[in-house]
Amino acid sequence: MRNFAIYFVILCPAVFAENTEDKTVAQYTMEVVDGFCLQNQDNFKNIGPLALSVGGQSVDSAGDPVLREQGGEAFLVPYFGRKYLVSYANGGACSVAGQDLDLNNLKPKLKKSLELNEVHREESLTQISEWYSVQKQGTFNGSLIILTYAQNYKEGSISFMPASVVNELK
């Protein structure tokens, strides 16, 4: 019962709430990004206790130099029958990765919800990276959303970099 209450309070409301019984994979992905990354933009260290409280498992991040150097963590988080890799780097960004993120439906929903403006796009032989600036007035204005995904595959990640970090980089 406690886990259900935490799911309800943290992951369901906020920026991307949708009132349908037949949610898409994209909607579930947006809820995870919102609940873990956006809602914790002021202190990514809240992500660890939240992930563990909903049945997530800590993942060894020793092989990732950014997480190791900046004191970040990674967690495998279950959400409505799906598993997401949620990671963060202190003073950096928060990312959600998974299989079949339903990018065809996810990108338009993100663009509409946060009023995204594409600021950079990079393609290699195997990977696409799209950078968007959040234009919506409010808490997330000036933040970056970065979609990274393999060409012709369904796996990918969504990264969120708060405006406070973006401003430090300028």
Side-chain angles (χ1 to χ4, degrees):
M1 184 64 170
R2 180 171 181 245
N3 285 349
F4 173 77
I6 290 169
Y7 273 128
F8 182 77
V9 172
I10 301 298
L11 297 177
C12 290
V15 178
F16 303 123
E18 184 175 283
N19 294 324
T20 64
E21 290 183 15
D22 298 322
K23 290 185 181 179
T24 64
V25 171
Q27 183 61 35
Y28 287 128
T29 302
M30 287 176 61
E31 290 172 3
V32 172
V33 171
D34 184 26
F36 284 94
C37 296
L38 275 65
Q39 299 306 316
N40 289 297
Q41 73 170 342
D42 295 322
N43 188 357
F44 287 148
K45 288 184 180 181
N46 292 332
I47 292 171
L50 173 60
L52 296 174
S53 71
V54 297
Q57 300 172 336
S58 181
V59 175
D60 183 12
S61 56
D64 186 321
V66 174
L67 295 182
R68 189 175 58 246
E69 289 172 15
Q70 293 189 342
E73 294 180 279
F75 300 89
L76 191 59
V77 177
Y79 188 61
F80 286 96
R82 305 186 60 76
K83 292 204 181 220
Y84 295 91
L85 179 65
V86 178
S87 61
Y88 70 90
N90 291 320
C94 172
S95 296
V96 173
Q99 294 181 337
D100 188 14
L101 297 180
D102 191 12
L103 290 168
N104 290 332
N105 289 311
L106 180 63
K107 285 198 286 188
K109 286 177 178 281
L110 282 170
K111 287 178 180 180
K112 182 179 178 184
S113 296
L114 294 171
E115 299 174 17
L116 299 179
N117 180 40
E118 187 171 323
V119 294
H120 180 74
R121 179 180 173 91
E122 189 173 314
E123 291 187 39
S124 69
L125 293 174
T126 59
Q127 183 173 289
I128 298 172
S129 182
E130 300 173 357
W131 293 51
Y132 296 92
S133 176
V134 176
Q135 303 298 303
K136 184 173 186 169
Q137 293 302 310
T139 307
F140 309 116
N141 182 268
S143 299
L144 288 177
I145 297 286
I146 303 161
L147 300 177
T148 306
Y149 52 96
Q151 290 191 22
N152 302 318
Y153 293 96
K154 297 180 179 183
E155 292 83 10
S157 69
I158 304 165
S159 297
F160 170 72
M161 186 180 293
S164 59
V165 175
V166 173
N167 292 334
E168 287 179 19
L169 298 175
K170 290 181 180 180

